[in-house]
Amino acid sequence: MRLLIENEVLPFVRKPGRYLGNEWNSVRKTWNAAQVRMVFAFPDVYEIGMSHLGLQILYGLVNQHPQYLMERVFAPGVDLEELLRTKGIPLFSLESCRPLKDFDVVGFTLQYELSFTNILNMLDLAGIPLQSRNREASDPLVIAGGPGAFNPEPLADFIDLFLIGDSEESLPELLSRLQALKQEGANRQQVIFQMAQISGVYAPSLYQPVYAPDGRLQETAPDLEGIPGRVAKRLVKDLDEAYFPLRPIVPTVEVVHDRIMLEVLRGCTRGCRFCQAGTIYRPVRERSQKVLLNQAMQVYWATGHEEISLTSLSTADYSCVQPLTTKLLDLFQEHRVGISLPSLRVDAFSVDLAQEIQRVRRSGLTFAPEAGTQRLRDMINKGVTEEDLFNAAKKAFRAGWHSIKLYFMIGLPMEQNEDLDGIVSLAYRVLAIGRRIKRETNQKKSPSVTISVSSFVPKAHTPFQWAAQDAIAELKRKQHYLKSRLKDRGIEVKWHQSETSFLEGVFARGDRRLGRVLEIAWNKGCKFDSWQEHFKFETWMESFAEAGIDPHYYTRMIPLDEVLPWDHIDSGVSKRYLIKEYQAALELVHTGDCRFDKCPGCGVCFELNVDVILKGGTGDAPSPNRIR
């Protein structure tokens, strides 16, 4: 198989390096020595998938076990897919070039809804039946995890098992159970039933949705005894004790993020009401400086990377961020290794921090006020003011930055034209600050401001999960409204395609009936839907019509007492808390961060028997006013 691929396939594709599988630190285990064989499937191209820390964690975690084997597969480029179909070659793993059907488990990660058609395409290329009910004993188990698993229903027809929460906890248990069941000779139905007994594992074929005559969901309940009514997420309680890959794979072709990724913390309790990650990854669990410094040194010598990224949902909130960055810079400056932060809060502290880490090389600055007026920022619980932004901009321009990027959302609940005018005003005032400082300091380069505008998509498990999503026409009107008022040559405006945001919103709150739409759309040629050059909106609309489903049903405002497709998936955060937060948003009431204020009562610590873990202690903890 390898000779066939290397001689008759890879010489004829545009980027053969994507499929070689011989990168530094990749693992090639003896096939016959492994008791359980799994392939990690990323439903997008190599350059994106290899930037995903979760892949590196699970790849190392499984392969450290002597009896298990994990290889990788990515969505093939259009050119490779055409060759595979023409020559009748099944989709193969990178390390051993074996067909995916040879593995015991094919595990997809669900990072975004617009990758769902790629999952069907990869299964088809692998010769694995698309529908779970059509698979036989010889077919691998098809599992999925990641943030998309928190509303698994649109993919319920195609996935045998979903892993809810931190997969480091549940995946080894699943593989161990599978090893035992293989030895016992269990059939496919017995395996799925036994797997559904594992905490954090959801087997959709064992649950049936019931709909009312008007089409609304009445319940999703198990149809067998011994299956839990709700599936609670699994969670790593102590990051210091969790597995971390010290010899990650070094890509051989340029990828999106080609650097060391140090995960400094998991979770966020800032409480932005639109943010799904802020809910499903609760509570905050920090990693200690000692562990991080050791990981940084070992990964550096194992990879030779020239940049270390401190990753998390809000790295500036890490209670040890200042001493950690100073120590990392002291350790790695002589090696010309830079430090980067993926996100900054809107405050002067973040600028100071960014300035500190620029000892080696300078990068851009991005702030996320999210909304144009204080009223709307209060509504989303952003907790940031105009003064915070202006002070941060002053500090940045005086420190020598010439370009600042501001990130906003449009289409938020209760948004009015005055909120759009607020975005315009903030952009011009930040630019004016830059120009004034340029004159005062005799700088030669003119300042610039980039306004990046995304469209609000209501997500499951958030306080805004009941909110309506703006129609495509309304989003386009708002985009053009902003563009017509931001005419200065020092301001650049970028936005997301509103049609893709609409489709993302449909699947983000979709139910099991969307599986039929997904399969029709894939059959009509939809794939790589997050790529503008591949996105076929008209084909998607034809698919909804053919399935007899109105997509706007899924973007409407949902009554608070309506049963939701993901109600049987337990994030640990109570529905009562989400309703309280939704009502607080409508009343513009702020909810504090539980690291500094009283417990807001989300329920996750009690429900999952876990605590917020701050390694810096209260003395080093970041100020509640330092907002991302």
Side-chain angles (χ1 to χ4, degrees):
M1 183 85 169
R2 177 173 291 281
L3 286 177
L4 174 69
I5 290 167
E6 290 183 351
N7 294 330
E8 298 189 25
V9 176
L10 297 190
F12 306 102
V13 300
R14 191 167 60 90
K15 291 187 176 181
R18 286 172 168 174
Y19 313 108
L20 290 174
N22 59 357
E23 308 98 318
W24 185 251
N25 292 335
S26 59
V27 178
R28 294 191 178 191
K29 302 182 82 168
T30 304
W31 182 264
N32 292 331
Q35 298 297 309
V36 180
R37 308 172 186 97
M38 175 175 173
V39 60
F40 186 104
F42 197 97
D44 213 316
V45 296
Y46 178 94
E47 293 89 326
I48 296 174
M50 282 304 296
S51 303
H52 178 51
L53 179 58
L55 182 157
Q56 300 275 12
I57 291 174
L58 295 179
Y59 185 82
L61 174 68
V62 173
N63 280 323
Q64 74 170 358
H65 195 291
Q67 294 182 311
Y68 305 154
L69 167 158
M70 179 180 275
E71 300 189 356
R72 294 163 294 149
V73 65
F74 300 88
V78 175
D79 54 352
L80 176 60
E81 178 184 342
E82 186 177 335
L83 276 172
L84 294 180
R85 291 192 186 280
T86 300
K87 294 178 178 291
I89 299 173
L91 186 61
F92 55 90
S93 67
L94 267 57
E95 282 80 357
S96 67
C97 286
R98 286 184 178 268
L100 267 55
K101 273 180 74 77
D102 287 357
F103 289 81
D104 298 304
V105 181
V106 177
F108 287 95
T109 181
L110 308 176
Q111 295 300 309
Y112 30 87
E113 291 83 359
L114 298 186
S115 68
F116 288 176
T117 50
N118 283 3
I119 294 173
L120 271 60
N121 202 42
M122 293 171 73
L123 289 174
D124 181 68
L125 280 166
I128 298 171
L130 297 187
Q131 301 258 356
S132 176
R133 64 172 179 267
N134 294 330
R135 290 176 196 138
E136 300 177 347
S138 59
D139 292 312
L141 274 178
V142 179
I143 70 173
F150 279 84
N151 178 21
E153 291 306 298
L155 286 172
D157 291 341
F158 314 105
I159 303 296
D160 297 319
L161 302 166
F162 290 92
L163 275 55
I164 311 299
D166 294 338
S167 295
E168 303 104 302
E169 288 290 298
S170 52
L171 183 58
E173 197 172 333
L174 184 146
L175 298 180
S176 173
R177 186 77 61 93
L178 181 60
Q179 180 181 0
L181 289 168
K182 281 178 64 177
Q183 292 169 351
E184 295 170 9
N187 62 35
R188 190 173 188 85
Q189 288 70 32
Q190 290 169 330
V191 168
I192 289 176
F193 180 81
Q194 288 295 321
M195 293 300 181
Q197 316 295 314
I198 299 174
S199 173
V201 175
Y202 170 55
S205 62
L206 304 181
Y207 294 74
Q208 296 305 320
V210 178
Y211 299 98
D214 66 357
R216 295 175 194 271
L217 182 66
Q218 288 186 317
E219 66 169 354
T220 304
D223 53 7
L224 289 174
E225 287 189 11
I227 303 299
R230 299 188 78 209
V231 179
K233 75 175 181 183
R234 293 290 290 271
L235 177 138
V236 173
K237 292 186 177 180
D238 185 348
L239 281 190
D240 278 352
E241 299 297 324
Y243 172 82
F244 189 81
L246 299 176
R247 298 185 62 83
I249 305 165
V250 182
T252 50
V253 300
E254 185 177 0
V255 299
V256 176
H257 299 305
D258 192 6
R259 59 199 185 192
I260 295 170
M261 291 178 279
L262 285 186
E263 187 183 25
V264 298
L265 65 89
R266 202 172 289 184
C268 177
T269 48
R270 288 287 178 183
C272 297
R273 291 170 176 138
F274 57 83
C275 182
Q276 185 188 49
T279 300
I280 64 176
Y281 292 118
R282 286 188 178 207
V284 168
R285 292 147 288 157
E286 294 187 345
R287 204 167 244 141
S288 68
Q289 289 186 75
K290 180 180 178 182
V291 171
L292 288 166
L293 290 168
N294 178 54
Q295 290 175 350
M297 188 58 73
Q298 292 201 53
V299 176
Y300 169 70
W301 288 112
T303 63
H305 280 305
E306 295 178 340
E307 180 179 344
I308 298 173
S309 175
L310 306 182
T311 67
S312 74
L313 292 174
S314 181
T315 298
D317 280 335
Y318 175 50
S319 64
C320 307
V321 67
Q322 282 183 311
L324 176 67
T325 51
T326 299
K327 289 173 184 173
L328 286 172
L329 287 164
D330 291 344
L331 275 173
F332 290 102
Q333 188 168 7
E334 64 174 307
H335 303 293
R336 302 295 297 165
V337 175
I339 311 295
S340 66
L341 304 175
S343 62
L344 292 173
R345 300 185 308 247
V346 184
D347 61 13
F349 166 80
S350 289
V351 178
D352 287 340
L353 189 60
Q355 196 170 7
E356 169 71 7
I357 66 175
Q358 305 302 314
R359 281 195 221 165
V360 178
R361 63 178 71 93
R362 170 156 294 192
S363 58
L365 276 183
T366 300
F367 299 116
E370 311 283 6
T373 62
Q374 195 60 49
R375 181 190 67 85
L376 210 55
R377 288 190 292 272
D378 289 343
M379 194 273 295
I380 63 177
N381 207 44
K382 188 63 184 174
V384 63
T385 67
E386 284 185 354
E387 285 307 306
D388 295 327
L389 175 61
F390 297 151
N391 287 335
K394 288 174 192 171
K395 194 120 185 174
F397 285 125
R398 287 197 182 281
W401 272 275
H402 303 289
S403 177
I404 289 178
K405 184 175 182 180
L406 301 179
Y407 178 84
F408 293 96
M409 271 190 290
I410 59 172
L412 286 162
M414 299 171 63
E415 184 177 65
Q416 301 171 5
N417 272 356
E418 68 182 46
D419 300 302
L420 303 180
D421 292 333
I423 294 175
V424 174
S425 174
L426 289 179
Y428 278 114
R429 293 171 74 181
V430 169
L431 183 64
I433 290 171
R435 286 174 172 166
R436 176 170 57 79
I437 291 173
K438 174 178 180 287
R439 290 192 299 273
E440 292 172 357
T441 57
N442 294 319
Q443 295 177 12
K444 294 181 179 177
K445 193 168 182 178
S446 297
S448 65
V449 177
T450 299
I451 303 298
S452 180
V453 182
S454 70
S455 302
F456 165 67
V457 175
K459 295 278 187 172
H461 299 283
T462 70
F464 285 169
Q465 64 183 356
W466 295 278
Q469 182 176 356
D470 268 359
I472 292 173
E474 178 64 2
L475 289 173
K476 288 182 181 293
R477 183 193 71 79
K478 290 176 177 178
Q479 291 166 346
H480 293 143
Y481 185 92
L482 288 173
K483 187 178 180 182
S484 67
R485 285 160 176 76
L486 291 168
K487 293 289 191 181
D488 194 289
R489 67 180 186 281
I491 298 176
E492 182 183 10
V493 186
K494 298 179 178 178
W495 58 71
H496 291 180
Q497 193 177 9
S498 51
E499 287 86 355
T500 56
S501 299
F502 172 74
L503 191 64
E504 179 186 348
V506 171
F507 280 95
R509 298 192 298 175
D511 57 34
R512 199 171 289 200
R513 291 172 292 195
L514 289 182
R516 177 164 161 68
V517 181
L518 197 58
E519 191 165 350
I520 293 172
W522 169 75
N523 268 315
K524 289 176 177 289
C526 290
K527 57 190 170 188
F528 289 112
D529 296 300
S530 61
W531 294 61
Q532 192 169 346
E533 63 268 36
H534 294 297
F535 184 57
K536 300 173 181 175
F537 184 64
E538 294 304 322
T539 305
W540 271 105
M541 293 303 101
E542 290 171 12
S543 304
F544 279 108
E546 192 172 325
I549 289 178
D550 178 7
H552 300 92
Y553 174 80
Y554 299 97
T555 59
R556 67 192 164 99
M557 178 176 285
I558 302 174
L560 293 178
D561 60 353
E562 187 169 315
V563 176
L564 302 171
W566 52 91
D567 274 349
H568 56 298
I569 303 299
D570 184 4
S571 72
V573 174
S574 73
K575 196 170 184 179
R576 184 176 62 179
Y577 170 79
L578 296 178
I579 291 175
K580 189 178 79 170
E581 277 297 286
Y582 184 53
Q583 293 169 334
L586 300 179
E587 297 167 4
L588 306 181
V589 175
H590 176 70
T591 298
D593 186 328
C594 66
R595 288 173 298 173
F596 319 109
D597 295 330
K598 64 179 182 180
C599 170
C602 77
V604 70
C605 293
F606 175 77
E607 182 75 18
L608 301 177
N609 189 28
V610 64
D611 292 319
V612 171
I613 298 176
L614 301 179
K615 293 296 183 180
T618 54
D620 295 329
S623 161
N625 295 323
R626 295 174 188 162
I627 308 297
R628 176 166 59 97

